[in-house]
Amino acid sequence: MSRRTTVLACLVSSILLTVATAAPAAAATPASEWDYVALGDSYSSGVGAPGQSGTCLRSPNAYPGLWNAANHPATYRSVACSGATTGSLRSSQLSALNQGTDLVTVTIGGNDVGFASTIITCTLSSDSGCAAKVDEALEMLEDEMPATFDATYREIRGKAPNARVVVLGYPILFDETAPSCGFAGMSIPKRKSINKGAAELNKVIKARSQAAGFIWSDVTDEFAGHGICGPSAWLHGLTLIPPTDSFHPTSNGYKYGYLPALNSVLP
């Protein structure tokens, strides 16, 4: 073998070795052998779906439970919790992770920028008051959240160094074309303001999760045409019983929105 051929062979071997060692452990084994942990807020715990229980309002009909039922991983645990922020995730959920964790999924960030208070303000105030509240959240998103996401993702990676980590975004909540949105429904200007905020939040989450080396899964395509006020909504509008379901996915939203978005980025 010539010196040139030997050098080329060594280079190819080195590249293959690097790729093999850099790939998440989950990629080398079938899903039935994975240890799966679901982290996050109400969009991961399953608020809005049937079967919610406990103080965290976890449901087996959330996308993590649906994925578990379809794929039968070796182990599955959801520690996602309604109302979770990046801070509470880091303090109370990361203990579920370890070096053997193969798959992690997470939705987080909406509560950090005031999802609930923004919805309440927009429901009760004028169009301009809603827009001002959304702009306030966007200022925080720009100034504070990139560093907060970076720190959160570093801690997830530190606790689960070998895992495939999938970060899922949030749906665009409202149909913007329907002239009426039901009792106490949002005006079209309010809907546009809230949708703008969700789109900007997704942009930041996407950028920071990809910078961390995680897998980003956008759910906006899956939920397109199924916003609140639309003819085929996969999200609850203002709900009185239980009120916590308000502005969260329905069972169809988890089954036909979030679950396909997760499946689309997994082998």
Side-chain angles (χ1 to χ4, degrees), residues 24 103 164-168 209-210 213-217 265-267:
L103 174 64
R164 178 186 297 270
V165 181
V166 179
V167 179
L168 297 100
S209 62
Q210 290 183 332
F214 293 167
I215 301 168
W216 162 252
S217 182
V265 297
L266 293 178

Side-chain angles (χ1 to χ4, degrees), residues 24-26 35 37 94-104 155-164:
D35 293 317
V37 178
L94 297 188
S95 60
L97 306 177
N98 57 56
Q99 291 190 353
T101 304
D102 298 298
L103 174 64
V104 177
E155 291 198 29
I156 291 174
R157 177 53 74 207
K159 293 288 187 177
N162 301 307
R164 178 186 297 270

Side-chain angles (χ1 to χ4, degrees), residues 16 22 29 52 93 111 136 166 220 255:
L16 291 175
T29 56
Q52 300 167 56
Q93 296 186 21
N111 292 317
E136 178 185 314
V166 179
T220 55
K255 184 176 182 180

Side-chain angles (χ1 to χ4, degrees), residues 179-231:
S180 175
C181 205
F183 173 74
M186 303 283 187
S187 67
I188 290 177
K190 289 179 180 179
R191 286 178 246 163
K192 288 183 176 180
S193 292
I194 294 171
N195 286 351
K196 179 185 77 172
E200 291 301 314
L201 176 59
N202 281 335
K203 286 180 184 178
V204 174
I205 296 174
K206 176 183 179 180
R208 301 328 308 157
S209 62
Q210 290 183 332
F214 293 167
I215 301 168
W216 162 252
S217 182
D218 193 340
V219 302
T220 55
D221 285 348
E222 284 79 7
F223 277 88
H226 299 287
I228 301 166
C229 310

Side-chain angles (χ1 to χ4, degrees), residues 5-161:
T5 303
T6 302
V7 171
L8 180 59
C10 290
L11 179 59
V12 171
S13 297
S14 177
I15 292 172
L16 291 175
L17 180 61
T18 300
V19 171
T21 56
T29 56
S32 60
E33 298 180 21
W34 292 0
D35 293 317
Y36 170 32
V37 178
L39 309 174
D41 54 23
S42 55
Y43 277 69
S44 290
S45 71
V47 173
Q52 300 167 56
S53 63
T55 57
C56 285
L57 303 180
R58 296 186 191 118
S59 168
N61 295 297
Y63 75 85
L66 295 174
W67 191 90
N68 170 61
N71 292 277
H72 307 289
T75 65
Y76 162 66
R77 182 181 179 189
S78 174
V79 292
C81 195
S82 176
T85 62
T86 53
S88 64
L89 181 149
R90 292 162 69 182
S91 65
S92 64
Q93 296 186 21
L94 297 188
S95 60
L97 306 177
N98 57 56
Q99 291 190 353
T101 304
D102 298 298
L103 174 64
V104 177
T105 59
V106 60
T107 59
I108 202 69
N111 292 317
D112 289 73
V113 296
F115 170 75
S117 62
T118 298
I119 290 293
I120 292 170
T121 297
C122 287
T123 300
L124 300 177
S125 72
S126 64
D127 292 349
S128 60
C130 175
K133 183 64 175 177
V134 171
D135 287 343
E136 178 185 314
L138 291 179
E139 184 176 347
M140 178 184 180
L141 177 66
E142 180 181 354
D143 294 344
E144 301 179 25
M145 291 308 297
T148 299
F149 283 127
D150 289 348
T152 302
Y153 297 150
R154 277 197 303 270
E155 291 198 29
I156 291 174
R157 177 53 74 207
K159 293 288 187 177

